[in-house]
Amino acid sequence: MAKMATASVCIVTYNSAADIEACLHAVLHQTLQPERVVIIDNASTDGTKAIVERYAADKGLEAIICFTANTVNNGFAGGQNQAIRQTASHYVLVLNPDVTLDPAYLAETVSYMERHPETGSVTGKLVLGSDHSIMDSAGLGMRRTRQAYDLASGEPAAEWSELREVFGVSGAAAVYRTAMIRGIQIDGQFFDEDYFAYKEDVDVAWRAQKLGWKSYYVPSASALHHRGWKQGGRRSIPLFIRRHSYQNRWFTLIKNEPVSWQLLWLLPLLAFVEASKLVYIILREPGLLGSWPIIFGKLPVMLDKRKQVERKAKENRLRQTVYGNK
């Protein structure tokens, strides 16, 4: 008899007191029970730690809920890597604390991935917590300008009822195959910890594609995403976060954009887009200029990571040539 697929849930919290209990309640009421729920707190100051510890004790779940309170903020990428290393299941659900899962979320996503072994990551139908009829995300898309975006964001949820292949999955509620996690990690890291936070899921999606993995949107799995800053516009996002988002876009391009004939016609477009952004930054958001010393300083590191991915891709192609699709 085939061994039943197992899944763990990894949550990184940072001042998540308002959301974490509802998130945990939904996780622990999945029809496919998680083998382990790993929570990494990034030095919260709002009582998140006390809420998680009390919840685990009250429910008698200390053996399932594995909680670590960091004394420093390791970022989303570092925190998730820290959590993933504590799992040994076939699948890992990377989950934001402001997401409330439908009871069948894990079962539906894992079931699809079990039937399609070439699939490395899956996301379900994420709708806005403030309006359940409106989509938050159906996964990640990529524009010609190499700008990643949330597919279906702001669109009617009723129009997103069909399965589809996507560029990648949002880190808000992403189910990853453990074999893929191990296969695409660089220097022992699944999420690149140089990103700290933001666009690390885009980097993973692109890297996974280059190494032969597929990603799908599975609408039979659903969840509510109670995100706040997205509705407030850029001015509601702290400068610290905007800097990471901006520099991480460059890191992602440096590491993943293929060198091909297509790049020749793409370069003028990218140059125009980035020059326009730079003019806007100088005039409206000069604080972002502080990202450039970091981008230049990390250039050798990013180029080395690019080489490692290309080496893995070459090894994969050689393996397929020798062994075929077996």
Side-chain angles (χ1 to χ4, degrees):
M1 180 179 291
K3 187 177 180 180
M4 184 175 294
T6 57
S8 294
V9 180
C10 294
I11 305 170
V12 174
T13 55
Y14 177 69
N15 291 338
S16 306
D19 299 306
I20 188 59
E21 191 164 353
C23 176
L24 282 175
H25 181 80
V27 164
L28 294 165
H29 285 79
Q30 292 293 294
T31 54
L32 172 61
Q33 281 288 295
E35 184 175 70
R36 175 173 286 191
V37 180
V38 184
I39 304 169
I40 305 296
D41 183 71
N42 271 331
S44 293
T45 58
D46 68 343
T48 299
K49 178 177 182 289
I51 291 172
V52 173
E53 291 177 337
R54 183 176 66 249
Y55 187 92
D58 289 348
K59 305 291 184 180
L61 296 170
E62 292 93 341
I64 296 175
I65 297 177
C66 305
F67 180 71
T68 300
N70 289 338
T71 56
V72 296
N73 188 342
N74 286 337
F76 177 87
Q80 279 293 349
N81 286 343
Q82 190 178 347
I84 290 169
R85 283 192 288 267
Q86 297 182 47
T87 68
S89 52
H90 300 104
Y91 299 92
V92 172
L93 168 57
V94 168
L95 186 65
N96 276 5
D98 62 350
V99 172
T100 305
L101 302 174
D102 180 84
Y105 195 94
L106 263 181
E108 291 291 332
T109 51
V110 167
S111 174
Y112 180 84
M113 297 177 82
E114 283 287 279
R115 299 193 308 273
H116 300 87
E118 76 283 0
T119 300
S121 59
V122 159
T123 186
K125 177 188 285 188
L126 273 62
V127 298
L128 293 177
S130 57
D131 186 344
H132 303 180
S133 67
I134 301 298
M135 290 292 295
D136 174 73
S137 178
L140 298 173
M142 180 66 78
R143 296 188 172 95
R144 281 198 311 152
T145 57
R146 297 303 187 256
Q147 187 70 45
Y149 65 99
D150 281 305
L151 281 169
S153 179
E155 297 182 19
E159 296 180 1
W160 285 81
S161 59
E162 295 185 5
L163 176 85
R164 64 183 287 178
E165 186 174 358
V166 294
F167 178 84
V169 295
S170 165
V175 180
Y176 295 107
R177 188 183 298 272
T178 297
M180 187 194 82
I181 291 174
R182 292 172 179 164
I184 75 169
Q185 62 185 4
I186 300 296
D187 296 331
Q189 297 179 7
F190 177 56
F191 291 115
D192 188 336
E193 294 180 21
D194 283 320
Y195 282 53
F196 188 82
Y198 294 95
K199 294 186 171 63
E200 69 290 310
D201 50 1
V202 180
D203 173 56
V204 159
W206 207 338
R207 193 189 329 148
Q209 271 195 26
K210 293 177 75 170
L211 295 176
W213 293 96
K214 294 183 179 294
S215 183
Y216 279 85
Y217 163 66
V218 177
S220 56
S222 61
L224 304 178
H225 193 184
H226 309 278
R227 71 165 94 204
W229 62 259
K230 188 175 183 181
Q231 285 74 40
R234 285 188 62 83
R235 294 299 179 182
S236 67
I237 307 172
L239 175 61
F240 172 77
I241 292 174
R242 282 181 281 143
R243 278 189 175 182
H244 276 290
S245 182
Y246 181 64
Q247 67 198 38
N248 291 351
R249 166 174 164 74
W250 280 98
F251 292 161
T252 303
L253 286 172
I254 293 166
K255 291 171 62 180
N256 297 293
E257 181 62 47
V259 176
S260 66
W261 65 267
Q262 292 178 324
L263 187 59
L264 294 177
W265 62 261
L266 181 63
L267 276 175
L269 175 62
L270 287 177
F272 174 77
V273 169
E274 295 308 321
S276 300
K277 282 184 180 179
L278 188 56
V279 171
Y280 172 84
I281 287 169
I282 292 170
L283 295 176
R284 302 292 300 274
E285 296 189 56
L288 290 183
L289 294 174
S291 297
W292 278 105
I294 298 171
I295 293 170
F296 283 118
K298 290 287 185 180
L299 184 58
V301 175
M302 295 301 155
L303 289 173
D304 179 67
K305 291 176 181 178
R306 177 188 178 92
K307 288 179 182 178
Q308 291 188 58
V309 174
E310 290 176 344
R311 191 180 305 122
K312 282 177 178 282
K314 184 176 180 179
E315 290 170 355
N316 284 354
R317 289 193 296 270
L318 180 61
R319 193 177 301 114
Q320 289 175 0
T321 300
V322 174
Y323 297 105
N325 294 322
K326 294 180 181 180

